[in-house]
Amino acid sequence: MFSLVRKSFDMSEERPSGLSATPASGAANDGRTPSRAKIGLALGSGAARGWAHIGVLRELADHGIFPDVIAGTSIGAVVGGCYAAGKLDQIEAFARSLTKRRVFALMDLSFSGMSLISGERLKTALEQEVKGLQIEDLPIPFAAVATEVGTGHEIWLQRGALDLAIRASYALPGIFEPVRVGDRYLFDGALVNPVPVTVCRALGADYVIGINMAADMMYRSKVVPDQAASAGTSAGVRPFASRLGSALENGLLPRYFERSVGGAPNVATAMVDAFNIVQDRILRSRLAGDPPDAIVNTRGNDIGMFDFHRADEAIAMGRDAAKRALPTIFAHIPVAAASG
């Protein structure tokens, strides 16, 4: 059982250097009345499907709904952090520019023994947009959710380097290397708070809109059978060494993210599926215990966990989901609060 200790108000001696979890002092008004009810957006985890957050944010803005505080977990921290920094256009352009080959090129193999992917290339790509930005200086209060390795503590990152907080929030265990912050190692916040409604409330939100990428599926990597490569093997599974060697030779992501022809899981898919089963159970529990005032549920279970090159589809999916949720949103959030 995970220990869900929220380090948000009293970090004392356990506070990591460079990042902290002190609640933000207030929301940016962006020219809107500061005394009106505050809206919080809780952007959930979801890997490649998380590009749908961009579409949701665009659709909400088209209807006069602008957040005063934002909390994000995993891919939700990526999009939410960029939005809070005024970089939504840039992250959308980056997402739409991705091809399958470029995604593979960003997934550099790790030889540290801590993960399959080192994340250095993704780090470089992220730093191009948000390097040097401090969370406490963002125009909209923001927090990224991460999990402390070893203790399972839920960590709310609200001060310090934005890029470091985002990387810690999306560091999927076993896939990406955990991120060291002070004397702690942190990884994906989806293990403790997949849709961080509670964080938005702690930041002062009066009304919280949750954006849930896991409404209709548990994520798993796409199945792309390689019939030619599997020929000559009794079970239709390519040996790991052969797959790894081929990947290194071609500069592509190893095929250990794909299931075998017969559907049997390999090490990576079994690990990811186990993670998603845990995340699904935690998500159900957290939303039942502290439901948002309104929720946006996406539908698009054909977008796989690593299909980051399908941003156009995911963003459109997000817009559609937001449109479906608008009646519920306006039923629970006063129009005056939404329009400012």
Side-chain angles (χ1 to χ4, degrees), residues 119-290:
E120 286 300 313
R121 295 175 187 170
L122 280 174
K123 173 185 174 183
T124 300
L126 181 63
E127 286 181 343
Q128 290 179 359
E129 302 299 339
V130 300
K131 185 176 182 179
L133 295 181
Q134 300 293 302
I135 299 175
E136 61 269 30
D137 296 331
L138 300 180
I140 301 175
F142 169 74
V145 178
T147 305
E148 184 178 12
V149 177
T151 67
H153 290 164
E154 179 178 340
I155 308 297
W156 298 355
L157 302 170
Q158 296 174 245
R159 299 184 64 84
L162 177 60
D163 60 328
L164 186 63
I166 290 174
R167 287 196 295 114
S169 188
Y170 73 62
L172 186 67
I175 303 298
F176 291 103
E177 292 183 1
V179 176
R180 184 171 182 174
V181 178
D183 58 353
R184 296 175 172 174
Y185 281 96
L186 305 179
F187 54 34
D188 204 313
L191 276 170
V192 289
N193 203 345
V195 180
V197 175
T198 50
V199 185
C200 285
R201 297 202 194 283
L203 287 174
D206 299 298
Y207 302 95
V208 179
I209 303 172
I211 306 176
N212 179 21
M213 298 289 128
D216 58 357
M217 68 171 290
M218 288 192 307
Y219 314 110
R220 61 184 65 228
S221 52
K222 291 293 287 183
V223 180
V224 185
D226 189 343
Q227 300 287 354
S230 63
T233 61
S234 59
V237 182
R238 295 175 64 199
F240 177 80
S242 173
R243 288 181 287 158
L244 180 58
S246 176
L248 290 172
E249 180 181 351
N250 294 294
L252 302 178
L253 185 67
R255 292 187 181 273
Y256 45 60
F257 288 108
E258 301 171 0
R259 293 175 183 272
S260 68
V261 175
N266 53 37
V267 173
T269 53
M271 180 171 55
V272 169
D273 281 356
F275 172 85
N276 287 321
I277 290 169
V278 172
Q279 175 186 282
D280 177 70
R281 300 305 187 270
I282 292 173
L283 174 61
R284 293 169 189 266
S285 175
R286 296 301 296 258
L287 291 183
D290 188 9

Side-chain angles (χ1 to χ4, degrees), residues 79 81-92 128-130 133:
V79 177
C82 289
Y83 182 94
K87 301 280 188 177
L88 187 62
D89 289 344
Q90 289 87 335
I91 193 64
E92 180 174 356
Q128 290 179 359
E129 302 299 339
V130 300
L133 295 181

Side-chain angles (χ1 to χ4, degrees), residues 45-46 48-53 56 211-219 295-304 310 312-328:
S45 58
R49 284 166 54 104
W51 291 140
H53 285 306
V56 173
I211 306 176
N212 179 21
M213 298 289 128
D216 58 357
M217 68 171 290
M218 288 192 307
Y219 314 110
I295 192 162
V296 178
N297 289 316
T298 61
R299 298 174 185 169
N301 58 6
D302 64 325
I303 297 180
R310 299 174 64 183
D312 291 348
E313 298 171 61
I315 293 171
M317 178 178 74
R319 276 193 172 270
D320 290 342
K323 288 176 182 177
R324 291 194 305 270
L326 283 172
T328 303

